[in-house]
Amino acid sequence: MNFKIVSDSSSNILSFAGVPYTAVPLKIITNEREYVDDATLDVAGMVKDLRTVKGRTGTSCPNIYEWKTAMADADAVFAITMTSNLSGTHAAALQAKAELLAECPEKKICVLDSLSTGPEMQLVIEKLAALISSGKSFEAIECEIREYMTHTHLIFCLESLTNLARNGRVNPVVAKVAGVLGIRVVGVASEQGTLELLHKPRGGEKALSCILDVMKRYGYRGGAVRLAHCNNEVSATKLAAKIRAIYPAAEIKIIPTTALCSFYAEEGGLMIGYEDIK
Ligand code: X90
């Protein structure tokens, strides 16, 4: 049986070695152009353009056809999407699965709702790859990955909520409480897969301590951590050092956000995916 992993590009993972993998891109749309979140995009260039672009900016999720195409060339597919509560990507993936199964009923497709995004999806993708490589059955992998996903979490620290608020992805009351510009917020992906804002730390150093406190409060005990950052490798590196000071064996990787997460997390934004297991 040939296996494949498919993710939407909100995972920031556009290519993956060792197991067949495809990322289906989301798109960033401005009055001037469309940016496709794939490996050919100059993300730094997009972020720079966004500083000065006028008028409405938004995003669009992959369509059913794009998901179907990515899922078509394997017998057994694990697809993972951004939270169904903030994007249509999950609904599109489910419809793609239904259409493919109608055409080839013997195919196996599992569509997972991350109820999260970014580096929490990255952890799930990496775990899927390990499970596939270990030679387990489709059913065993599905069972194990669903269990694993109850032990992964996402924390974010954002310097601006502008693009989230303008596109209706945080509730207006919440956005107003956080202030519109220049306020740093630390929050988590809620159980329902929405943004839950927890703190407004003043200053970058306080923000890092705050993130670590929230991680510990939400069960972090030295497991794997994935740190995604938008133009903020300095803070990501500092946070990794703070984590290692307490958990020297923690397995931590730092990666830049690609287009979709860069658009919503905005410059300076940090997204932290972690396991609550050792
Ligand atoms: O157009 C679309 O379908 C995409 C909509 C995406 C909306 C939100 C993306 C948020 C990305 C922000 C910090 C982490 C949020 C955690 C939410 C569960 C990054």
Side-chain angles (χ1 to χ4, degrees):
M1 178 167 292
N2 66 65
F3 283 88
K4 183 174 187 183
I5 302 170
V6 183
S7 167
D8 66 51
S9 65
S10 76
S11 61
N12 301 307
I13 305 299
L14 303 182
S15 65
F16 194 92
V19 173
Y21 176 85
T22 296
V24 286
L26 287 102
K27 296 178 193 78
I28 317 306
I29 300 143
T30 72
N31 284 337
E32 278 149 38
R33 62 169 281 196
E34 184 179 273
Y35 302 86
V36 179
D37 192 4
D38 66 19
T40 66
L41 181 71
D42 168 15
V43 180
M46 180 195 83
V47 169
K48 199 158 158 256
D49 294 350
L50 288 173
R51 285 182 205 148
T52 53
V53 75
K54 302 256 183 323
R56 258 195 77 83
T57 54
T59 58
S60 72
C61 68
N63 61 36
I64 299 164
Y65 176 77
E66 290 167 305
W67 274 109
K68 258 181 104 169
T69 308
M71 291 173 178
D73 61 350
D75 309 320
V77 176
F78 286 95
I80 177 144
T81 73
M82 180 187 335
T83 169
S84 57
N85 276 319
L86 292 179
S87 172
T89 182
H90 186 72
L94 282 179
Q95 187 58 32
K97 167 182 169 170
E99 291 181 17
L100 279 171
L101 289 182
E103 291 160 24
C104 353
E106 68 289 353
K107 223 173 152 83
K108 292 178 191 269
I109 304 173
C110 168
V111 177
L112 301 161
D113 182 352
S114 69
L115 294 174
S116 180
T117 185
E120 187 175 355
M121 288 169 70
Q122 179 180 357
L123 284 169
V124 177
I125 292 165
E126 292 177 8
K127 176 63 83 180
L128 280 169
L131 291 168
I132 291 169
S133 301
S134 73
K136 293 186 194 263
S137 70
F138 181 87
E139 290 71 22
I141 296 172
E142 174 163 1
C143 183
E144 285 194 39
I145 201 68
R146 288 191 188 280
E147 210 277 324
Y148 179 71
M149 288 168 77
T150 67
H151 295 287
T152 59
H153 306 266
L154 182 78
I155 299 184
F156 51 85
C157 177
L158 307 180
E159 293 183 10
S160 163
L161 293 175
T162 306
N163 287 340
L164 283 164
R166 280 195 191 146
N167 287 284
R169 260 73 191 205
V170 282
N171 99 40
V173 180
V174 170
K176 201 166 172 202
V177 171
V180 186
L181 280 171
I183 304 259
R184 199 180 261 109
V185 294
V186 170
V188 295
S190 71
E191 302 255 319
Q192 297 76 37
T194 53
L195 280 92
E196 186 176 333
L197 306 186
L198 297 174
H199 302 285
K200 288 187 272 176
R202 297 193 184 270
E205 291 298 328
K206 286 203 178 123
L208 296 181
S209 312
C210 177
I211 293 168
L212 197 56
D213 286 347
V214 174
M215 280 174 78
K216 287 193 273 185
R217 186 146 36 94
Y218 282 71
Y220 182 65
R221 298 288 178 271
V225 181
R226 299 295 175 260
L227 297 177
H229 66 89
C230 179
N231 263 353
N232 199 356
E233 188 153 10
V234 171
S235 296
T237 306
K238 280 189 191 164
L239 180 59
K242 270 180 176 291
I243 297 169
R244 287 199 183 102
I246 313 173
Y247 296 103
E251 196 247 320
I252 307 175
K253 287 187 199 162
I254 298 177
I255 54 145
T257 50
T258 65
L260 190 277
C261 285
S262 296
F263 177 77
Y264 285 107
E266 301 194 42
E267 287 199 90
L270 295 176
M271 299 168 71
I272 303 102
Y274 68 92
E275 300 172 335
D276 65 18
I277 39 189
K278 247 184 142 70

